[in-house]
Amino acid sequence: MNTQRQITILTITHVIRAFMITMPVIVIYWQEHGLSIRDIFVLQVIFSLVIVVFEVPSGYFADRWGRKLSIILGLVGGAVGFLFFWLYPGFVGFMLGEMAMGLGASLLSGSKDALLYETLLEDKNESNYSKIQGRQFALGNVSEAIASLTGAGLAVAVSLEAVFFWQWIIFGLGIPLTFFLIEPKVHKETETPHIMSTLKEFASGKRYLLYLSLLSGGLSAATLSMVWFTQPYWRSLGIDLAHFGYLWAGLQLCVGLGAISAYRLEQKLRFRTLFSGLAITPIILYGALALTKPVWLIMSIIPFFWVIRGIAQPIIRDYVNRECRNSNRATMLSLNALTARLIFSVSSPFLGWTVDIWSFQTAFLLSAVIYGAITLGGYILLRTAH
């Protein structure tokens, strides 16, 4: 197997998938079609619940029938989801789109990371996993930054609908490329254990993974909530839609900056320093937003959510991969992602309702308490198992 060719295909596919021209205007598009902040979070919960239902079965599917097939079907699901957004604008159409994308995301979540790790494992280069994945994240976020400028410009120059028309076409461009991926031998040569034995291993035999998933799940849910808070929050601050493109592009570059830094941080910082720092970030960042009034200071705090998102993902997935067997790697990675979606599904509708009834500041304060308790609790438990 040509390792570099495989990594290049995975990287290009990631970059195409990250070219999300809809992201700087998606909340505005939903609001233009009558959705409230609570409705928007309900859509994200539907998306998350689909992932909750299919995350582990899709990981098992990838372990049993191949990461390549799982990646292909995942990209198809994403393209179909955006097609629904364009054809049927309204809550029902958006819900169907979120369901298709949720299924696609669950098929992708464990399989692409497992395929990358096992490609490196076959080449005896797995120690560079977080470095290579960090680079992929960085390139993906540069792609999304360019897409943000493109999408906002298209929305202003043509229409919001035009943005969603082109998005499903762009998303589908990665599908033909994935047919050239090769299943690593290290996966082909191992027998996939029954899904229930993997679940039992995660819940009781691998307490380290369970606690790591709790910490990473709280952190992922905290930063994901901020993703959906940001656009309506900008609007409440009086920021014009014309500025959303370059503002959103800047946030994606912040993720890239964090992702590039992840490998160096993992190499230089001790486990306790690294993970305790990640655990307290929801309290610091949400607490700062809740107490801050000047707009310039608010705009300075928000990018740190994206930086932390970029730092955390490659590092945590590297730690998860180290504890997995080749035979159930995709399932274990899916279980890790599942924790984040469960936390987000429970907390986000309440936080969205808090914005509608009270204010963003109240929602931010509650976010600091809820997500901070989860991440700190996960870190404390993780220390006992490390």
Side-chain angles (χ1 to χ4, degrees), residues 44-58 102-103 105-106 109 199 334-335 337-346:
Q44 294 315 300
V45 169
I46 290 170
F47 175 80
S48 296
L49 288 176
V50 171
I51 292 179
V52 166
V53 172
F54 290 103
E55 187 73 64
V56 176
S58 66
L103 179 57
S106 65
S109 67
L199 287 171
S334 291
L335 283 164
L338 174 65
T339 310
R341 287 294 170 181
L342 281 170
I343 294 169
F344 180 79
S345 297
V346 172

Side-chain angles (χ1 to χ4, degrees), residues 288-339:
L289 278 183
L291 301 173
T292 300
K293 297 296 182 183
V295 174
W296 68 268
L297 190 53
I298 290 170
M299 298 300 286
S300 300
I301 295 168
I302 289 174
F304 284 98
F305 285 91
W306 272 257
V307 173
I308 294 300
R309 193 168 179 82
I311 290 172
Q313 291 188 39
I315 290 174
I316 288 171
R317 289 177 189 177
D318 186 30
Y319 273 85
V320 172
N321 270 304
R322 293 179 196 178
E323 298 295 317
C324 296
R325 291 178 284 128
N326 297 328
S327 58
N328 65 356
R329 187 179 308 282
T331 309
M332 285 293 193
L333 286 163
S334 291
L335 283 164
N336 179 259
L338 174 65
T339 310

Side-chain angles (χ1 to χ4, degrees), residues 69-255:
L69 178 59
S70 186
I71 290 170
I72 292 169
L73 294 175
L75 290 173
V76 170
V80 170
F82 280 114
L83 183 59
F84 272 114
F85 276 23
W86 175 62
L87 286 175
Y88 306 106
F91 187 84
V92 174
F94 298 150
M95 179 183 68
L96 293 173
E98 292 288 348
M99 291 172 72
M101 287 193 290
L103 179 57
S106 65
L107 285 161
L108 283 165
S109 67
S111 55
K112 61 184 178 63
D113 296 324
L115 187 63
L116 173 60
Y117 191 84
E118 287 167 7
T119 298
L120 295 172
L121 190 64
E122 193 166 298
D123 199 40
K124 297 181 171 31
N125 193 27
E126 67 273 16
S127 62
N128 282 322
Y129 173 81
S130 62
K131 181 179 180 180
I132 292 170
Q133 192 178 65
R135 189 181 302 152
Q136 286 187 351
F137 279 151
L139 289 171
N141 287 110
V142 170
S143 174
E144 190 166 352
I146 296 169
S148 298
L149 297 172
T150 306
L154 188 61
V156 173
V158 185
S159 67
L160 287 168
E161 286 71 21
V163 177
F164 286 83
F165 170 76
W166 285 106
Q167 182 66 83
W168 72 269
I169 295 175
I170 292 167
F171 209 91
L173 291 176
I175 297 171
L177 192 61
T178 57
F179 284 91
F180 295 97
L181 291 169
I182 297 171
E183 204 74 44
K185 290 179 182 177
V186 291
H187 172 61
K188 286 181 178 180
E189 294 171 353
T190 54
E191 184 179 350
T192 304
H194 192 276
I195 190 170
M196 293 308 296
S197 65
T198 301
L199 287 171
K200 184 178 179 181
E201 181 181 343
F202 180 81
S204 56
K206 289 280 189 181
R207 289 295 177 90
Y208 177 87
L209 279 178
L210 181 63
Y211 301 151
L212 182 61
S213 293
L214 183 62
L215 190 158
S216 67
L219 192 58
S220 295
T223 55
L224 183 59
S225 293
M226 195 62 217
V227 168
W228 297 109
F229 277 138
T230 299
Q231 290 176 29
Y233 189 40
W234 283 345
R235 212 176 203 185
S236 74
L237 295 173
I239 297 171
D240 192 86
L241 178 61
H243 302 312
F244 278 31
Y246 63 79
L247 287 172
W248 198 261
L251 293 177
Q252 305 320 308
L253 292 176
C254 288
V255 181

